[in-house]
Amino acid sequence: MRVGVYVDGFNLYYGARSICGRSTPGWRWLDLRALSENLLRGPGAQWGSATIERVVYCTARVSGAENPQGQHDQDTYLRALRRHGAVDEFAMGNYVTRVATAPLATPDRRGRPQLTRADWPLQVRDSHGADVPGATFMASVARREEKGSDVNVAAHLLIDVLTKRVDAAIVISNDSDLEFPVRHVRTLVPLGLVNPTPGYRAGKLAGDRDDGVGGHWWYHLTDTDVRGAQLPEQVAHIRRPESW
């Protein structure tokens, strides 16, 4: 059984950062092929003599204008992945920077936004000097959004399955936007879905092991998974960034 692995780089990076700890070293220098092999041999898959046919890494380049050190470190990592043979295909999206306006809010216990409303000691008054209790505060903020990774994951997954390039697939993402391709692929080949975030699995990605052709599985990535699949400290002449 030939297995294709489709990695949502944005989802994986921020998920692993939350799982392992942002300021701690030892998780960023991730060997995606080693991780894929470990997941394939893990308790969830049970696909017998399956082998990794290809690893597709869907990510976006960091802007050097906004974050020169981040761009340098990412470039080092991408070159190391390529040189080590840890990725078969890179599918690059892009980052978009824009200004967004939204009401000020704080998260409740389940992470849902609760609007911040005017109340003493901070009150809003109208042009006549009258209090406006319950008024909302609007904030204008800079937002940097990654674009393209989820689309690239979906496209490569569907193309590889429909052209019979792979006999099974592993998707590393918890993005609910992948609901349709994931649901369709389950009718054609066995699918393993890996949640790389510390949160619950997205409800739209749920299903049953026997849906479609059957043989599907789900897995929640752990700190041990990430730290146990690191590239060598030096790949050819490429060294791991010091802070990584």
Side-chain angles (χ1 to χ4, degrees):
M1 179 185 284
R2 302 164 301 163
V3 180
V5 182
Y6 307 88
V7 183
D8 181 340
F10 184 79
N11 215 239
L12 175 58
Y13 174 81
Y14 284 102
R17 190 175 77 173
S18 296
I19 293 170
C20 300
R22 178 172 184 167
S23 60
T24 61
W27 60 270
R28 292 177 176 86
W29 200 235
L30 185 59
D31 184 337
L32 296 176
R33 187 172 298 279
L35 176 65
S36 301
E37 293 283 359
N38 293 344
L39 291 170
L40 187 60
R41 308 302 169 203
Q46 299 180 0
W47 283 346
S49 59
T51 58
I52 300 296
E53 173 72 12
R54 61 196 315 256
V55 178
V56 180
Y57 184 38
C58 305
T59 188
R61 286 192 175 276
V62 173
S63 169
E66 298 177 7
N67 185 2
Q69 185 60 52
Q71 184 190 55
H72 177 269
D73 290 348
Q74 184 195 43
D75 183 64
T76 300
Y77 177 55
L78 295 176
R79 288 189 292 113
L81 287 174
R82 185 174 287 107
R83 185 62 182 266
H84 194 64
V87 170
D88 296 291
E89 185 166 348
F90 294 86
M92 306 303 291
N94 63 288
Y95 282 95
V96 176
T97 303
R98 62 187 181 87
V99 175
T101 301
L104 197 64
T106 56
D108 65 11
R109 286 183 300 178
R110 297 181 62 183
R112 297 171 301 188
Q114 299 295 306
L115 297 185
T116 302
R117 299 189 180 277
D119 196 4
W120 294 110
L122 185 62
Q123 185 59 274
V124 174
R125 289 183 172 176
D126 62 21
S127 58
H128 302 291
D131 291 344
V132 185
T136 57
F137 298 95
M138 300 300 293
S140 181
V141 298
R143 292 189 61 182
R144 189 166 64 92
E145 299 178 348
E146 183 272 344
K147 297 288 186 181
S149 286
D150 54 351
V151 174
N152 285 332
V153 168
H156 283 276
L157 170 65
L158 287 170
I159 290 170
D160 286 354
V161 169
L162 292 172
T163 60
K164 302 187 184 303
R165 189 171 187 177
V166 298
D167 307 306
I170 297 174
V171 173
I172 303 178
S173 178
N174 195 40
D175 190 336
S176 60
D177 288 344
L178 295 173
E179 177 190 12
F180 173 76
V182 161
R183 180 159 38 87
H184 186 69
V185 163
R186 287 187 186 131
T187 69
L188 302 172
V189 300
L191 176 69
L193 196 61
V194 179
N195 178 5
T197 77
Y200 294 109
R201 181 182 65 215
K204 291 183 177 181
L205 301 182
D208 188 84
R209 179 176 176 83
D210 297 323
D211 287 344
V213 299
H216 315 301
W217 51 271
W218 290 258
Y219 184 74
H220 206 147
L221 204 66
T222 68
D223 175 282
T224 302
D225 295 322
V226 176
R227 295 183 183 277
Q230 297 291 299
L231 292 164
E233 185 172 336
Q234 183 164 335
V235 178
H237 63 284
I238 307 166
R239 291 189 63 85
R240 182 183 66 193
E242 202 168 308
S243 61
W244 285 31

